[in-house]
Amino acid sequence: GRFHVVCAILRMLVVATVAATQCFSGAGPDVFVVDQVAHVVPFLRLFARRPVVFYCHFPDKLLCVDRTSRLKRFYRAPMDWWEEVSTGASDAVIVNSEFTAEIFRSAFTSLSRVALRVLYPCIDMAQFDEPLTAAVREKAQNDFPPGLVAHLKRWGEDAVLLVSINRFERKKNLLLAIEALARLPDHLDAAMLAPVHLILAGGYDPRLPENVEYFAELEKAAHNLPEPLSGKVSFLRSFTDTQRVELLRLARCVVYTPDREHFGIVPVEAMYAGCPVVAVASGGPLESIDDAKTGFLVDQTPDAFAAPLAALIQDPRRAKAMGADGRTSAARRFSLETFGKGLDEIIREAIATAGVSRYLFVLALATGSIFAIVLALLW
C-alpha cells in the first residue's frame, strides 16, 4: 500500500529497457505513445532513438492530494519534478480536453512553451451498435439489484430510470444524485413520480476503505429518503459491460455528478446510447455536452439538477429527441476513426520534427542512473 509512484515508474522503466533493446536490434516501433508514466520519456527518446508522444489524461502530481505530512511532501517533490521535466522532453504532448490543457499549464509552469494538442478519447461504439438478444437482456436485468428488478417488473416499458455510472468515490459526488431525487417532489406530482427509479452503478473495490465507507454513506442517505421516494434508489456494484449497455438502453437520462472531471467518458457513452445527460457545468462535460440539445449543464446543487431531471421525466419525447442529437454528436466527434485520424496526424508531425538535445541526454542518463541505483538497492 506504499510507494505506488516509485513502483509504477520502475515497472515502466523495465518495459522501456526492453523496448530500447529491441530498437537496438533494428526492430521495435517507429514511435512510442506513453499515456500514464511520463518519467520514462527521456529514457526512451535517447536510448531507443525513437520519437515519443505523451498523452496526458491529467498531471499525476495533482492526483496526490494528501500532502499533509512533511515526509510525504519530501517524498513527492523529486517525483513531481521528474514528471514535469520528463513530460517536457516529449516530441509531442497530447491532452484529453481543453480543461486538462488549462490544468496542465497551471501545474507545469516550466512547460509554458510546450505546444499542447487536444485529442478527445474515443469510445467503443460497437458494443452499443450490436443488439442484445432477449435472453441476454433478461439475464442482465435479472442480475440487477432486487429493488430495480421489482420496479421494472411492475412498470415495464413505462419505468423511468435515472442512471448514474461512476466509481463509488467521494470525488464523484454521487450523493448529489440522491439529493436531486429528493427534490423531485417539488416538481412532479405523485402520479408522475411513481415510475421513477434512480440506479447508482459503478466500480467498487471492498479492499479500498473509501469505497466501503462512501458506499455505506450513500446507502444510508437512500434509506432515509421520505415517502414517496422510499425504495426508489438501487445500487449496482462492479457491473458487467452487458449490464452497462442495458442500463443505458433503459435510461430516461444519465445523471453525471463529478465536478471538474478531466474529460468524462460516461457522458459520451450515454449520448451515443441515445440518453440525454444532466451534468455539472465544469470540466470535460462542458466540451462534450451541447447544453439544452444533447443534455443539460447545471450548477452542482440538488435543485439545479432536479429541474432538468423533472423536465425529462415529464417529456419523454424531448428526452428521445435530445438522445438522438447526442448520438449524432458522439458518433461524429468521439469515434475511433476521428481519434485515429487525429492521433496519426500528431504522430507524423512528431516523427518529422524529432531530435535529441544535450538536455535530453543529461536527463535520460539521470533517469537511467536512478533506475540502476534503485535496482541495486532492491537487489
Side-chain angles (χ1 to χ4, degrees), residues 223-270:
H223 179 74
N224 291 335
L225 286 172
E227 292 291 347
L229 299 172
S230 178
K232 287 192 171 296
V233 180
S234 293
F235 298 90
L236 180 60
R237 296 180 290 191
S238 301
F239 52 88
T240 66
D241 289 342
T242 301
Q243 286 178 316
R244 183 176 74 250
V245 172
E246 182 65 5
L247 280 175
L248 292 177
R249 191 197 72 82
L250 294 170
R252 175 65 57 88
C253 70
V254 165
V255 187
Y256 195 68
T257 53
D259 183 31
R260 295 172 61 81
E261 188 76 353
H262 316 161
F263 173 70
I265 206 71
V266 170
V268 176
E269 290 182 334

Coordinates of all heavy atoms in Angstrom, one line a residue, residues 223-270:
H223 N -31.7 5.3 2.2 CA -32.6 4.7 3.2 C -33.5 5.7 3.9 O -34.6 5.5 4.3 CB -31.9 3.8 4.2 CG -32.7 3.2 5.3 ND1 -33.6 2.1 5.0 CD2 -32.9 3.5 6.6 CE1 -34.2 1.8 6.1 NE2 -33.8 2.6 7.1
N224 N -32.9 6.9 4.1 CA -33.5 8.0 4.8 C -34.4 8.9 4.0 O -35.0 9.8 4.5 CB -32.5 8.9 5.5 CG -31.8 8.2 6.7 OD1 -32.3 7.2 7.3 ND2 -30.5 8.6 7.0
L225 N -34.5 8.5 2.7 CA -35.4 9.3 1.9 C -36.9 9.2 2.3 O -37.3 8.1 2.6 CB -35.3 8.9 0.4 CG -34.1 9.3 -0.4 CD1 -34.0 8.6 -1.7 CD2 -34.0 10.8 -0.5
P226 N -37.6 10.2 2.4 CA -39.0 10.2 2.8 C -40.0 9.6 1.7 O -39.6 9.5 0.6 CB -39.4 11.6 3.2 CG -38.5 12.4 2.2 CD -37.2 11.6 2.0
E227 N -41.1 9.3 2.1 CA -42.2 9.0 1.2 C -42.5 10.2 0.3 O -42.4 11.3 0.8 CB -43.5 8.5 1.9 CG -43.3 7.2 2.6 CD -43.2 6.0 1.6 OE1 -43.4 6.2 0.4 OE2 -42.8 4.9 2.1
P228 N -42.7 10.1 -1.0 CA -42.9 8.9 -1.7 C -41.7 8.3 -2.4 O -41.8 7.7 -3.5 CB -44.0 9.3 -2.8 CG -43.6 10.7 -3.1 CD -43.0 11.3 -1.8
L229 N -40.5 8.6 -1.9 CA -39.3 8.2 -2.5 C -38.6 7.0 -1.9 O -37.6 6.5 -2.4 CB -38.3 9.4 -2.4 CG -38.7 10.7 -3.1 CD1 -37.7 11.8 -2.8 CD2 -38.8 10.5 -4.6
S230 N -39.2 6.4 -0.9 CA -38.7 5.3 -0.2 C -38.6 4.1 -1.2 O -39.6 3.8 -1.9 CB -39.6 4.9 1.0 OG -39.1 3.7 1.6
G231 N -37.4 3.4 -1.3 CA -37.3 2.3 -2.1 C -37.0 2.7 -3.6 O -36.9 1.8 -4.4
K232 N -36.8 3.9 -3.9 CA -36.6 4.4 -5.2 C -35.1 4.5 -5.6 O -34.8 5.1 -6.7 CB -37.3 5.7 -5.5 CG -38.8 5.5 -5.6 CD -39.5 6.7 -6.2 CE -41.0 6.5 -6.4 NZ -41.1 5.5 -7.5
V233 N -34.2 4.0 -4.8 CA -32.8 4.0 -5.2 C -32.2 2.6 -5.1 O -32.4 1.9 -4.1 CB -32.0 5.0 -4.2 CG1 -30.5 5.0 -4.6 CG2 -32.6 6.4 -4.2
S234 N -31.5 2.2 -6.1 CA -30.8 0.9 -6.1 C -29.3 1.1 -6.4 O -28.9 2.1 -7.0 CB -31.4 0.0 -7.1 OG -32.7 -0.4 -6.8
F235 N -28.5 0.2 -5.9 CA -27.1 0.3 -6.1 C -26.6 -1.0 -6.9 O -27.0 -2.1 -6.5 CB -26.4 0.4 -4.8 CG -26.7 1.6 -4.0 CD1 -27.8 1.6 -3.1 CD2 -26.0 2.8 -4.1 CE1 -28.1 2.7 -2.4 CE2 -26.3 3.9 -3.4 CZ -27.4 3.9 -2.5
L236 N -25.7 -0.8 -7.8 CA -25.2 -1.9 -8.6 C -23.7 -1.7 -8.6 O -23.1 -0.8 -9.2 CB -25.7 -1.9 -10.0 CG -25.2 -3.0 -11.0 CD1 -25.6 -4.4 -10.4 CD2 -25.8 -2.8 -12.4
R237 N -23.0 -2.6 -7.9 CA -21.5 -2.5 -7.8 C -20.8 -3.4 -8.8 O -21.2 -4.6 -9.0 CB -21.1 -3.0 -6.3 CG -21.6 -2.0 -5.3 CD -21.2 -2.5 -3.9 NE -21.9 -3.7 -3.4 CZ -21.8 -4.2 -2.2 NH1 -21.1 -3.5 -1.3 NH2 -22.4 -5.3 -1.9
S238 N -19.8 -2.8 -9.4 CA -18.9 -3.6 -10.3 C -19.7 -4.4 -11.3 O -19.6 -5.6 -11.4 CB -18.0 -4.5 -9.5 OG -17.2 -3.7 -8.7
F239 N -20.5 -3.7 -12.1 CA -21.4 -4.3 -13.1 C -20.6 -4.8 -14.3 O -19.5 -4.4 -14.6 CB -22.5 -3.3 -13.5 CG -21.9 -2.0 -13.9 CD1 -21.6 -1.7 -15.3 CD2 -21.7 -0.9 -13.0 CE1 -21.1 -0.5 -15.7 CE2 -21.2 0.3 -13.4 CZ -20.9 0.5 -14.8
T240 N -21.3 -5.6 -15.2 CA -20.7 -6.1 -16.4 C -20.9 -5.1 -17.5 O -21.8 -4.2 -17.5 CB -21.3 -7.4 -16.8 OG1 -22.7 -7.2 -17.1 CG2 -21.2 -8.4 -15.6
D241 N -20.2 -5.3 -18.6 CA -20.4 -4.5 -19.8 C -21.8 -4.6 -20.4 O -22.4 -3.6 -20.8 CB -19.4 -4.9 -20.9 CG -18.0 -4.4 -20.6 OD1 -17.8 -3.6 -19.7 OD2 -17.0 -5.0 -21.2
T242 N -22.3 -5.8 -20.3 CA -23.7 -6.0 -20.8 C -24.7 -5.3 -20.0 O -25.7 -4.7 -20.5 CB -24.0 -7.5 -20.8 OG1 -23.1 -8.2 -21.7 CG2 -25.5 -7.8 -21.3
Q243 N -24.5 -5.3 -18.7 CA -25.4 -4.5 -17.8 C -25.3 -3.0 -18.0 O -26.3 -2.3 -18.0 CB -25.1 -4.9 -16.3 CG -25.5 -6.2 -15.9 CD -25.1 -6.5 -14.4 OE1 -24.0 -6.3 -14.0 NE2 -26.1 -7.1 -13.7
R244 N -24.1 -2.5 -18.3 CA -24.0 -1.1 -18.6 C -24.8 -0.8 -19.9 O -25.5 0.3 -19.9 CB -22.5 -0.7 -18.8 CG -22.4 0.8 -19.0 CD -20.9 1.2 -19.1 NE -20.3 0.8 -20.4 CZ -19.4 -0.1 -20.5 NH1 -19.0 -0.8 -19.4 NH2 -18.8 -0.4 -21.6
V245 N -24.6 -1.6 -20.9 CA -25.4 -1.3 -22.1 C -26.9 -1.4 -21.9 O -27.6 -0.5 -22.4 CB -24.9 -2.4 -23.2 CG1 -25.8 -2.2 -24.4 CG2 -23.5 -2.1 -23.6
E246 N -27.3 -2.3 -21.1 CA -28.7 -2.5 -20.8 C -29.3 -1.3 -20.0 O -30.4 -0.8 -20.2 CB -29.0 -3.8 -20.1 CG -30.5 -4.1 -19.8 CD -31.3 -4.3 -21.1 OE1 -30.8 -4.3 -22.2 OE2 -32.6 -4.4 -20.9
L247 N -28.5 -0.9 -19.0 CA -28.9 0.3 -18.2 C -29.1 1.5 -19.1 O -30.0 2.3 -19.0 CB -27.8 0.6 -17.1 CG -27.9 -0.3 -15.9 CD1 -26.7 0.0 -15.0 CD2 -29.2 -0.1 -15.1
L248 N -28.1 1.8 -20.0 CA -28.2 2.9 -20.9 C -29.4 2.8 -21.9 O -30.0 3.8 -22.3 CB -26.9 3.1 -21.6 CG -25.7 3.6 -20.7 CD1 -24.5 3.7 -21.5 CD2 -26.0 4.9 -20.0
R249 N -29.7 1.6 -22.2 CA -30.8 1.3 -23.1 C -32.2 1.7 -22.4 O -33.1 2.2 -23.0 CB -30.9 -0.1 -23.6 CG -31.9 -0.4 -24.8 CD -32.1 -1.8 -24.9 NE -33.0 -2.3 -23.8 CZ -34.3 -2.2 -23.8 NH1 -34.9 -1.6 -24.8 NH2 -34.9 -2.7 -22.8
L250 N -32.2 1.4 -21.1 CA -33.4 1.6 -20.3 C -33.6 3.0 -19.8 O -34.6 3.4 -19.4 CB -33.5 0.6 -19.2 CG -33.6 -0.9 -19.5 CD1 -33.4 -1.7 -18.2 CD2 -34.9 -1.2 -20.1
A251 N -32.5 3.7 -19.7 CA -32.4 5.0 -19.0 C -33.2 6.1 -19.7 O -33.2 6.2 -21.0 CB -31.0 5.5 -18.9
R252 N -33.9 6.9 -19.0 CA -34.5 8.1 -19.5 C -33.4 9.2 -19.7 O -33.4 9.9 -20.6 CB -35.6 8.6 -18.5 CG -36.2 10.0 -18.9 CD -37.0 9.9 -20.2 NE -38.1 8.9 -20.2 CZ -39.3 9.1 -19.8 NH1 -39.7 10.3 -19.3 NH2 -40.2 8.2 -19.8
C253 N -32.5 9.2 -18.7 CA -31.3 10.1 -18.8 C -30.2 9.6 -17.9 O -30.5 8.8 -17.0 CB -31.7 11.5 -18.5 SG -32.1 11.9 -16.8
V254 N -29.1 10.2 -18.1 CA -27.9 9.8 -17.2 C -27.6 11.0 -16.3 O -27.6 12.2 -16.8 CB -26.7 9.5 -18.1 CG1 -25.4 9.5 -17.2 CG2 -26.9 8.1 -18.7
V255 N -27.4 10.8 -15.1 CA -27.1 11.8 -14.1 C -25.6 11.7 -13.8 O -25.1 10.7 -13.3 CB -27.8 11.6 -12.8 CG1 -27.6 12.7 -11.8 CG2 -29.3 11.3 -13.0
Y256 N -24.9 12.8 -14.2 CA -23.4 12.8 -14.1 C -23.0 13.9 -13.1 O -23.0 15.1 -13.4 CB -22.8 13.0 -15.5 CG -21.3 12.7 -15.5 CD1 -20.9 11.3 -15.4 CD2 -20.3 13.6 -15.7 CE1 -19.5 11.0 -15.5 CE2 -19.0 13.3 -15.8 CZ -18.6 12.0 -15.7 OH -17.3 11.7 -15.7
T257 N -22.5 13.5 -11.9 CA -22.3 14.4 -10.8 C -20.9 14.9 -10.5 O -20.7 15.8 -9.7 CB -22.9 13.8 -9.5 OG1 -22.3 12.5 -9.4 CG2 -24.4 13.6 -9.6
P258 N -19.8 14.3 -11.1 CA -18.5 14.8 -10.8 C -18.3 16.2 -11.2 O -18.8 16.7 -12.2 CB -17.5 13.9 -11.6 CG -18.3 12.7 -11.9 CD -19.8 13.1 -12.0
D259 N -17.5 16.9 -10.3 CA -17.1 18.3 -10.6 C -15.7 18.4 -11.2 O -14.8 17.6 -10.7 CB -17.2 19.1 -9.3 CG -16.9 20.6 -9.5 OD1 -17.2 21.1 -10.6 OD2 -16.4 21.2 -8.6
R260 N -15.4 19.2 -12.2 CA -14.1 19.4 -12.7 C -13.5 18.0 -13.2 O -12.3 17.7 -13.0 CB -13.2 20.1 -11.7 CG -13.6 21.5 -11.4 CD -12.8 22.1 -10.3 NE -11.3 22.2 -10.6 CZ -10.8 23.1 -11.4 NH1 -11.5 24.1 -11.9 NH2 -9.5 23.1 -11.6
E261 N -14.3 17.2 -13.8 CA -13.8 16.0 -14.4 C -12.9 16.2 -15.5 O -13.1 17.1 -16.4 CB -15.0 15.1 -14.9 CG -14.7 13.7 -15.3 CD -14.5 12.8 -14.0 OE1 -14.4 13.3 -12.9 OE2 -14.3 11.6 -14.3
H262 N -11.8 15.5 -15.6 CA -10.8 15.7 -16.6 C -11.4 15.7 -18.0 O -11.2 16.6 -18.8 CB -9.7 14.6 -16.5 CG -9.3 14.3 -15.1 ND1 -8.6 13.2 -14.8 CD2 -9.4 15.1 -14.0 CE1 -8.3 13.2 -13.5 NE2 -8.8 14.3 -13.0
F263 N -12.1 14.6 -18.4 CA -12.8 14.5 -19.6 C -14.2 14.0 -19.3 O -15.2 14.6 -19.5 CB -12.1 13.7 -20.6 CG -12.9 13.4 -21.9 CD1 -13.2 14.5 -22.8 CD2 -13.4 12.2 -22.2 CE1 -13.9 14.3 -23.9 CE2 -14.2 12.0 -23.3 CZ -14.4 13.0 -24.2
G264 N -14.3 12.7 -18.9 CA -15.6 12.1 -18.6 C -16.1 11.3 -19.8 O -16.7 11.8 -20.7
I265 N -15.8 10.0 -19.7 CA -16.2 9.1 -20.9 C -17.7 8.7 -20.8 O -18.3 8.4 -21.8 CB -15.3 7.9 -20.9 CG1 -15.2 7.3 -22.3 CG2 -15.7 6.8 -19.9 CD1 -14.4 8.1 -23.3
V266 N -18.2 8.7 -19.5 CA -19.6 8.3 -19.4 C -20.6 9.1 -20.1 O -21.5 8.6 -20.8 CB -20.0 8.2 -17.9 CG1 -21.5 8.0 -17.7 CG2 -19.2 7.1 -17.2
P267 N -20.5 10.5 -20.1 CA -21.4 11.3 -20.9 C -21.4 10.9 -22.4 O -22.4 10.9 -23.1 CB -21.0 12.7 -20.6 CG -20.4 12.6 -19.3 CD -19.7 11.3 -19.2
V268 N -20.2 10.7 -22.9 CA -20.1 10.3 -24.3 C -20.7 9.0 -24.6 O -21.5 8.9 -25.6 CB -18.6 10.3 -24.7 CG1 -18.4 9.9 -26.2 CG2 -18.0 11.7 -24.5
E269 N -20.5 8.0 -23.8 CA -21.2 6.7 -24.0 C -22.7 6.8 -23.9 O -23.4 6.2 -24.6 CB -20.7 5.7 -22.9 CG -19.2 5.3 -23.1 CD -18.8 4.2 -22.1 OE1 -19.4 4.2 -21.0 OE2 -17.9 3.5 -22.4
A270 N -23.1 7.7 -22.9 CA -24.6 7.9 -22.7 C -25.2 8.5 -24.0 O -26.2 8.1 -24.5 CB -24.8 8.7 -21.5

